[in-house]
Every structure is written in structure tokens, then in C-alpha cells.
Amino acid sequence: MPEAYDSAAVATTFDADALDLAALEEAHSSGAYFKRDLTIVRGQGARLFDAEGRSYIDCASGQGSSNLGHGHPAVLAALRAQMDEIMVCPEMFHNPVRARYQAALCNAAQMPRVFLCNSGAEANEAAIKFARLATGRTGIVSTMRGFHGRTMGALSTTWEKTYREPFAPLIPDVTFVPYNNLERLSAAVTDETAAIILEPVQGEGGVHPAQEGYLQAAQALAYERGALLIVDEVQTGFGRTGALFAHEHDRIRPDLLTVAKSMGGGIPMGACLIGERVGAMTPASHGSTFGGNPLACAGGLAVLETLANSDLIGRARDLGARLMDHFRAHLPEGTVREVRGRGLMIGIELRGKVAPVLRELQTRGVIALPAGSTVLRLLPPLVIEEDDLWRAAAIVEEVLRNAA
Ligand SMILES: *Cc1c(COP(=O)(O)O)cnc(C)c1O
């Protein structure tokens, strides 16, 4: 044990060059992540830059957390201004930026109330707790391939066994049904079901959009059985699919709507919006120290204003549709099983593994994501220049041709 805080040892970490730092990170990080052999130091719009100044086209948006791209001027200006006022202000006090943001978000989602937190998993934790409180029931019906986060409650509703099983026992009374299968959903929802939880487009599970009518039928079923409908828009929210929220495509009203990722413009933030059937929570029933902090609220407000005052959402719908048509017409059938998605949330299901494809894309200057082991997922920032988008598409096409 060192006798005191060793400032000399810490100083060496500031002097290390980029290669040393990657090794240092390997040595000290938890080990919980697969890491790519790439150090990102800067981002601008839909471009990422590595330590050598090489530029990459970003088709990952920080796992979907920067729909407005990196360094959006409206977000930066709002954050800088807010930093000069105050950054932390727990919800025991009122705060004007939070007041404005909550109203703006509730208006945008057409839901009366909101609980603010700091991540997607936390948003789903809140939704599960609120659903139990509001219904007095404990059952949750989730979907196969569904992803709702990694904390114990949210994890309980996440399908992937390798995420879940090492941590059993999780919270009880969660059942999984196949996505887009109404009969199985109907059979699973009973008078002990507190809520059905669904993504309008399954993200991590392979980019599977809800079929026409599925979400509406899920909502009708929830109403009929006295259960609530939780819609998880952590990944699909804030314009990603060509609507502010993806459930707007299906014209439904969630009882609980969870959001995070892109909501704070890059500042960690999450929320659980609360519908009329749920109503207000009782004081002290839930809480979060950083939830609703003014810095995140200022970022969130800039995101909502930017989306409202630009055509980024319509552009995402249009560009996404064109890109998917292009892929369907041009990607080689020998390597590609299916192209699916909504707006700029696109999944390309491969016949083989996605990992080597991702490595080759990175070598050629395109950063993309997997969604499971065989789906290539593209989530470019909505601000991506058309030139960059089509350049990335051409590189994807080339790499998949060569993979045949
Ligand atoms: C990413 C994601 C989450 C978890 O969000 P975190 O901020 O990583 O906790 C939950 N649900 C969906 C649909 C997601 O895509």
C-alpha cells in the first residue's frame, strides 16, 4: 500500500503517449468491454479522429447517443452557458432549466409527467418500479431479443442469456415472448401483469422493427387486462427512426416511455415519461442525485429545440429509406440475408459473422456497430453529410462484396 496519494505516479500518466495510454487503459479498466484497437480523441459532426489525426465516418453515434453529431454548436453553446450558472441541483430544489426542459419533453412526447435520471437502464428501472406501484402487480412481459439495460431490474427484462444468466437470480415474474407475435403476447398477459415492455424497433437484438399493428394491439391488450405498456425508446428516440419517437409511426400512447442515449446531446441523461393511466408518484418513492441536473437539462433542451427547428427528422426518414433501397438493390446476396430498419437505424443481417466485417470497415475508415453476432448495425448521426453517408455506403458494399 502506498503511504499517501502518489502524485509522481499520476504525473507519468499525463506524459504517456497514445500507445502507452491504450495499454494503460487495458491494464486498469474493468475488463468488462470488448475494446477495438483504436483510440478516438476528437469528433466533429459525423467524423471521428484518432490519435494520429486519421478521420473516420461515424456510423455508430456513440452507440446511438449523439444523433446531433459531435460538437453540435447549439448543444455546445447551451452547455457552456449552463456551466457558468450551475451544473448540479438535486430535485429537492426547483430549477428554471429543469422546469423548461420537463415541459418541453412532456409536450414533445404528449405525456403529462417525467422522471429524470442518467441512463437508459435507470429509465427502465424507474418504469418497472412505477408500473409495480401503479398496478400493485409484479409481472413483466418482455420480448425475446429485447434489450433494456444491464442493471438488475432492467437486466431481468433483457433477453440475451449471456448477459442475464451469470447474475441469476434476477427479479421474479418476468416472462419473454417472441417479438411481433400477438398470440403469444396475449397468452402471456394476465391479471398479474404490471406491464408489457417493448422496443418499437429492437436495437441490440438485431434491428427488428415492429410489424404494422403490433404495438397498437399490444396497447389494446394492456388496456383490456389492466396492465401498462412500457415503450423503450432509449435507442429509437430523438429522431433516429424518422419520427421524434418511433412509436409515433404506430400512433400509440405509451403509459411509460423510456428514453436516454441521444437525449442530452452527449451529456449522460435518461428519463421515464409517465402517462395519464399511471399518474403522479408519491414523494420519496424514487429518486436520483444527478437526475434532472441543470447541465443535462440544458443539453436536452438544445436537442429538442434543434430537432424542432430543423428538418433533421424528416431527413433521417428520407435518407434512411433511400439508403435501405440502395442496399437492397446492391448488396451481394451471397453475404447478405436481409436489410431492415427504420430511418437512420439500419440493420444488415449477414450470412456469416459481423466481427471481421466491422474490423475491415474500420480499416477503411468507417465505424459501425454489431447487433448480435451476425447483424451489421448503422446508426450515423442525423447530421451526417450526404457525401459521407454515400461514401460509407460504398465502403460497406465493397467490404461485403469482398467478404463473399
Ligand atoms: C442502450 C439501451 C438501453 C440501456 O441504456 P444505458 O444508457 O446503456 O443504460 C436500454 N434500452 C435500449 C433499447 C437500449 O438500446
Side-chain angles (χ1 to χ4, degrees):
M1 281 282 279
E3 283 184 5
Y5 177 68
D6 183 352
S7 60
V10 173
T12 62
T13 67
F14 291 105
D15 296 336
D17 67 26
L19 270 182
D20 291 341
L21 284 174
L24 203 61
E25 195 174 334
E26 288 292 338
H28 293 291
S29 71
S30 65
Y33 295 92
F34 286 113
K35 277 200 196 293
R36 299 188 187 190
D37 187 16
L38 178 64
T39 299
I40 296 295
V41 295
R42 197 167 68 81
Q44 183 58 54
R47 288 281 181 151
L48 296 169
F49 299 89
D50 70 11
E52 282 80 46
R54 187 172 176 217
S55 158
Y56 298 81
I57 301 173
D58 183 8
C59 291
S61 296
Q63 312 267 34
S65 63
S66 52
N67 284 0
L68 293 188
H70 306 278
H72 191 284
V75 175
L76 290 188
L79 293 178
R80 285 182 180 130
Q82 187 56 44
M83 272 190 241
D84 286 337
E85 297 296 325
I86 190 166
M87 288 194 274
V88 292
C89 175
E91 289 223 22
M92 68 176 113
F93 303 111
H94 289 277
N95 173 267
V97 187
R98 184 193 303 130
R100 262 195 213 101
Y101 183 61
Q102 289 186 335
L105 183 62
C106 286
N107 283 334
Q110 297 180 48
M111 293 178 75
R113 292 177 184 275
V114 62
F115 175 85
L116 294 172
C117 53
N118 315 286
S119 70
E122 269 180 83
N124 286 322
E125 292 293 329
I128 292 166
K129 287 180 71 175
F130 296 167
R132 281 191 176 194
L133 276 185
T135 62
R137 303 173 177 185
T138 57
I140 303 283
V141 177
S142 185
T143 55
M144 294 172 180
R145 296 187 313 234
F147 183 89
H148 303 292
R150 309 276 206 148
T151 54
M152 293 298 269
L155 183 63
S156 307
T157 65
T158 287
W159 167 248
E160 175 59 44
K161 288 184 180 58
T162 56
Y163 296 165
R164 232 172 350 111
E165 281 179 350
F167 304 101
L170 296 170
I171 65 168
D173 307 337
V174 179
T175 49
F176 293 93
V177 294
Y179 193 70
N180 277 332
N181 182 326
L182 264 178
E183 251 170 69
R184 297 286 296 279
L185 184 65
S186 175
V189 179
T190 69
D191 58 10
E192 278 155 28
T193 304
I196 302 167
I197 184 166
L198 290 169
E199 295 155 87
V201 181
Q202 290 187 316
E204 304 295 315
V207 191
H208 295 273
Q211 280 163 8
E212 179 79 41
Y214 179 61
L215 295 180
Q216 282 186 358
Q219 173 176 261
L221 200 61
Y223 270 65
E224 181 192 304
R225 313 263 164 98
L228 301 171
L229 180 64
I230 304 171
V231 176
D232 179 346
E233 295 239 22
V234 170
Q235 191 162 151
T236 50
F238 302 96
R240 171 58 54 196
T241 70
L244 182 62
F245 299 111
H247 72 266
E248 292 168 17
H249 297 295
D250 301 272
R251 297 169 305 282
I252 59 159
R253 305 285 297 260
D255 297 308
L256 294 160
L257 172 65
T258 57
V259 291
K261 290 203 165 105
S262 280
M263 80 182 291
I267 296 294
M269 191 177 205
C272 177
L273 287 127
I274 304 168
E276 268 119 19
R277 292 178 71 217
V278 181
M281 294 298 126
T282 49
S285 56
H286 198 40
S288 163
T289 300
F290 276 115
N293 74 80
L295 185 67
C297 290
L301 210 45
V303 167
L304 284 180
E305 279 170 1
T306 302
L307 290 174
N309 298 325
S310 69
D311 187 36
L312 286 171
I313 296 177
R315 187 174 177 272
R317 186 166 51 227
D318 170 57
L319 276 182
R322 281 166 52 204
L323 188 58
M324 281 190 279
D325 282 348
H326 177 86
F327 280 151
R328 286 182 185 122
H330 291 96
L331 291 183
E333 274 181 36
T335 46
V336 173
R337 222 180 265 284
E338 192 182 23
V339 175
R340 39 176 197 258
R342 203 142 212 191
L344 285 174
M345 179 171 182
I346 297 176
I348 302 172
E349 184 165 337
L350 309 178
R351 295 186 192 279
K353 297 280 180 207
V354 69
V357 170
L358 289 169
R359 273 195 297 275
E360 186 57 23
L361 286 172
Q362 181 176 313
T363 305
R364 299 198 187 197
V366 174
I367 303 298
L369 290 167
S373 61
T374 60
V375 177
L376 174 64
R377 181 171 37 144
L378 303 176
L379 300 176
L382 311 187
V383 298
I384 190 169
E385 308 269 347
E386 277 217 40
D387 273 2
D388 270 357
L389 188 70
W390 294 110
R391 188 170 306 142
I395 295 170
V396 165
E397 212 175 302
E398 231 174 81
V399 167
L400 290 177
R401 249 174 232 297
N402 293 342

